[in-house]
Amino acid sequence: MSVDLSDYSVKELNEAWIAVDDHAYPDRAIEIYKLLKARGEAAFYEEPELEHGGFLSKVLNYIFIPTMHGGVIAADIELENDLARMKEQRVLALISSSKKA
């Protein structure tokens, strides 16, 4: 069964990107990735910059005040982002190898 992802919101596409197993479903991962990129989106969560303070303020807040995002601690978001970035590299390699074939 095929799911039409073209009507997904950016948030839904990001959730699908995090959830998709690119080893088991490489075509689906490529499709989600291309849809995110076509909308000019990153394939991971981008945390907004702090309004006040610079890098040091961000680091101190990260260390001493666990930031909550919908019940998720900032460290969990960073781990999820790292996993998404690694998945992105694998999917880019898949896209590159399919173009060469």
Side-chain angles (χ1 to χ4, degrees):
M1 182 174 129
S2 181
V3 177
D4 181 16
L5 297 170
S6 62
D7 292 331
Y8 275 38
S9 68
V10 170
K11 181 180 178 186
E12 290 169 325
L13 285 172
N14 273 309
E15 290 170 359
W17 173 251
I18 295 301
V20 68
D21 180 348
D22 60 302
H23 297 289
Y25 306 101
D27 292 337
R28 178 54 52 104
I30 290 170
E31 179 183 9
I32 295 167
Y33 182 79
K34 286 181 175 180
L35 284 169
L36 281 168
K37 291 302 173 180
R39 295 183 187 186
E41 295 295 325
F44 53 89
Y45 174 79
E46 291 188 42
E47 190 169 352
E49 293 296 320
L50 295 176
E51 289 182 27
H52 303 289
F55 176 75
L56 181 59
S57 175
K58 186 174 183 176
V59 169
L60 292 174
N61 282 336
Y62 184 80
I63 293 170
F64 295 110
I65 306 169
T67 307
M68 300 295 287
H69 295 281
V72 179
I73 296 178
D76 293 334
I77 291 173
E78 191 58 36
L79 175 61
E80 195 171 81
N81 280 339
D82 288 343
L83 294 173
R85 287 183 187 104
M86 288 186 285
K87 184 185 295 186
E88 180 177 26
Q89 294 305 309
R90 291 190 303 269
V91 168
L92 286 171
L94 287 170
I95 292 169
S96 177
S97 66
S98 68
K99 287 181 181 177
K100 291 177 184 176

